[in-house]
Amino acid sequence: MSEKIKGYLYLIAAMATVGSTVIASKIIAAGMAPFTATALRFAMALPVFIAIMFLTGKRLPRLSYRDWLLVVLQAVAGSVGYTTLLISGLSLTSAANAGIIIGTLPVVSAAIAILLLGERPRPGIYLAIAIAASGVLAIVLQPDEGQSSLIGNILIFGAVLCEGLFILINKRLHTPVEPLALSTLVTAFGLIACIIPAALEPQFSSLEVEPALWAIAYYALVPTVAGFLFWYAGARRVSGAEASVFTSVAPVSAVLMAGIFLGETISLNHVLGTGCVLVAVLGLGLSEIRARKRPA
């Protein structure tokens, strides 16, 4: 098997774990408050990241005061904001809806870069944004969607914005930080940021606490740690533009798993929404590949 094919398989596995975070978060939302769950996720993942850094001989970076502030902001806005909003949203809306909305992340990140960084977009990016928006509207405007589901969808989109800000902030670091070190730092700062809010949250006393704990353990060890390892094992074997195409696996896997593991009904609107998001993300990735191959 060629190294490129191995890279593709690693990237598919990584994005499938991203899709599975929606299922895990849906289970967590039924049995645990969001900040408590997020703190437990970080507490489980942090020792594993530290062990991997020790075993691989990696060291923490030497950063300026400004860059340290940006890393803390990444942890609070990206990791904590993303996870807590995802769990909160999934207490009100379906995992299938959330999976489609989360799938718009590459397109939302491109839009944020245009608005806040002043990047000059290729014409195809505007088309990708419009198609992705159509996919989100397909699920928001479902006839059977109630007010609570709409609020849940808005919270999920807020989670996507937080993750988009994480990517944006990373571009502003003066000193590039190796991905493993960045994940370790963000996990540590995220845990610290969650401690006080978690202590103030009302704790659940339902029968769903035990499944929630298992789901948190899964989230911490599989998508957070294994998903990270899969992604960078794949990204080392293919170009960045090629890797971006595989982010389209996440919404498909989330919708399929919502039907298989949670028994959710997958409607025509979900199929249409997933299709629009797929077209948008694939179009964005293929546009990037063509741009990289075009002579300067």
Side-chain angles (χ1 to χ4, degrees):
M1 185 184 296
S2 70
E3 286 299 299
K4 180 158 284 195
I5 296 299
K6 287 181 182 177
Y8 292 162
L9 293 175
Y10 279 128
L11 293 173
I12 290 170
M15 286 297 101
T17 68
V18 171
S20 72
T21 63
V22 176
I23 311 306
S25 297
K26 182 70 174 177
I27 297 169
I28 293 167
M32 194 164 292
F35 281 102
T36 302
T38 304
L40 287 173
R41 173 202 168 196
F42 291 145
M44 292 178 186
L46 182 58
V48 182
F49 276 129
I50 292 173
I52 295 172
M53 286 198 66
F54 176 78
L55 293 172
T56 56
K58 303 291 185 181
R59 295 189 177 185
L60 295 178
R62 297 173 65 89
L63 300 176
S64 66
Y65 179 71
R66 173 186 176 278
D67 279 355
W68 278 115
L69 286 177
L70 288 176
V71 171
V72 171
L73 187 58
Q74 277 187 294
V76 175
S79 290
V80 176
Y82 174 83
T83 308
T84 54
L85 285 171
L86 179 61
I87 294 171
S88 299
L90 279 162
S91 67
L92 300 171
T93 192
S94 71
N97 283 3
I100 296 168
I101 296 170
I102 285 173
T104 65
L105 174 60
V107 182
V108 170
S109 298
I112 290 174
I114 293 168
L115 293 173
L116 298 185
L117 293 184
E119 292 188 2
R120 296 178 61 185
R122 298 179 301 279
I125 292 181
Y126 288 119
L127 180 60
I129 291 171
I131 295 172
S134 300
V136 173
L137 285 174
I139 62 169
V140 171
L141 300 178
Q142 289 187 89
D144 57 345
E145 292 283 278
Q147 181 65 23
S148 64
S149 187
L150 176 60
I151 294 171
N153 292 338
I154 292 171
L155 290 172
I156 300 298
F157 188 70
V160 174
L161 290 176
C162 284
E163 189 68 11
L165 287 173
F166 182 99
I167 296 169
L168 171 67
I169 294 167
N170 199 51
K171 292 182 178 181
R172 310 304 290 176
L173 291 172
H174 285 167
T175 303
V177 183
E178 194 270 340
L180 179 58
L182 181 61
S183 294
T184 304
L185 288 172
V186 165
T187 301
F189 288 133
L191 175 60
I192 294 168
C194 285
I195 290 174
I196 293 177
L200 298 176
E201 279 182 327
Q203 300 306 307
F204 285 28
S205 59
S206 72
L207 297 175
E208 303 298 329
V209 170
E210 184 176 348
L213 287 172
W214 282 109
I216 291 168
Y218 171 84
Y219 197 151
L221 301 178
V222 180
T224 304
V225 178
F228 164 85
L229 296 175
F230 284 149
W231 179 259
Y232 286 102
R236 283 196 298 268
R237 292 169 168 84
V238 304
S239 71
E242 286 178 305
S244 68
V245 172
F246 286 86
T247 58
S248 61
V249 172
V252 177
S253 64
V255 172
L256 289 176
M257 284 187 274
I260 294 169
F261 296 112
L262 299 180
E264 292 187 0
T265 300
I266 307 302
S267 68
L268 177 60
N269 290 66
H270 288 124
V271 175
L272 292 173
T274 304
C276 287
V277 171
L278 274 177
V279 170
V281 174
L282 288 172
L284 195 65
L286 294 173
S287 173
E288 181 67 22
I289 290 172
R290 286 195 297 270
R292 295 284 178 89
K293 289 182 177 179
R294 190 177 299 127

